[in-house]
Amino acid sequence: LLLDEPLSNLDARLRLEMRDEIRRLHSELKLTTVYVTHDQKEALSLANRMAVLKGGVVEQLADPRTVYRRPSSRFVADFIGEANWLEGEIVRADADAAVIRTGLGEFASTPRAGLRPSMPVWLGIRPEALHAGGAELNGFDAELHQTNYLGEIEEYVLQAGGTTFKCFVQNPELALAAGTRLKVSVRPDDLLVLPR
């Protein structure tokens, strides 16, 4: 079954209902289905395996969780979500960790294949992986410039070392004022480390 942007003309609520219906039909009928979409959440929620194309060439083919958490390139990472990016260089890469030097200091990542000392890399941090009030490991100081309240999440726009970061706070209780200083951090496993 080939479906090419089947939900593109539906309102948001109907899209969600139809997404569930397509998933149910696929499971029930056991049909091989190719589903073409530019809606990342639609792709992530429906796919068993997904292919990200750039100029007609497959950039990455994997299960949705792998594509999102371990993208093969910066293009894939940006296409299938948001990320904050820092230029970095590998300081150390071994079986225990990879250490990346950036303008904001050093970050420790879980080990990744293909990394070697002095290699220039992009260090990516998804907004939902950046924790306000964070730990010392992979932590840095930032200043809150703007907040966007979206109900279930609040988007913080932060400045640190001349770089703008987005941080998503789940189920926010308090409104913070612009100019508030925050310590933010990211877990080693949540870092995206990609060749530059």
Side-chain angles (χ1 to χ4, degrees), residues 68 77-78 80-84 125-128 155 166 168 192:
Y68 189 80
D78 286 334
I80 209 76
E82 289 187 74
N84 303 294
I125 305 169
R126 300 263 188 216
E128 69 275 9
E155 178 185 85
K166 281 187 182 179
F168 296 157
L192 307 177

Side-chain angles (χ1 to χ4, degrees), residues 15-31:
R15 285 174 77 106
L16 292 175
E17 290 173 11
M18 288 307 297
R19 200 187 296 173
D20 289 342
E21 184 64 13
I22 289 170
R23 190 180 306 115
R24 184 190 66 75
L25 284 169
H26 177 263
S27 177
E28 187 178 299
L29 299 174
K30 309 240 185 287
L31 285 175

Side-chain angles (χ1 to χ4, degrees), residues 2-67:
L2 174 60
L3 299 171
D4 188 0
E5 300 276 4
L7 309 181
S8 60
N9 292 323
L10 302 179
D11 64 58
R13 186 172 185 81
L14 192 52
R15 285 174 77 106
L16 292 175
E17 290 173 11
M18 288 307 297
R19 200 187 296 173
D20 289 342
E21 184 64 13
I22 289 170
R23 190 180 306 115
R24 184 190 66 75
L25 284 169
H26 177 263
S27 177
E28 187 178 299
L29 299 174
K30 309 240 185 287
L31 285 175
T32 299
T33 305
V34 177
Y35 191 103
V36 179
T37 184
H38 287 85
D39 183 317
Q40 291 84 2
K41 297 231 183 295
E42 208 169 275
L44 289 167
S45 68
L46 286 171
N48 294 352
R49 292 177 50 82
M50 62 191 301
V52 178
L53 301 170
K54 179 183 179 187
V57 176
V58 174
E59 285 275 316
Q60 187 168 3
L61 175 64
D63 66 278
R65 191 173 303 271
T66 299
V67 171

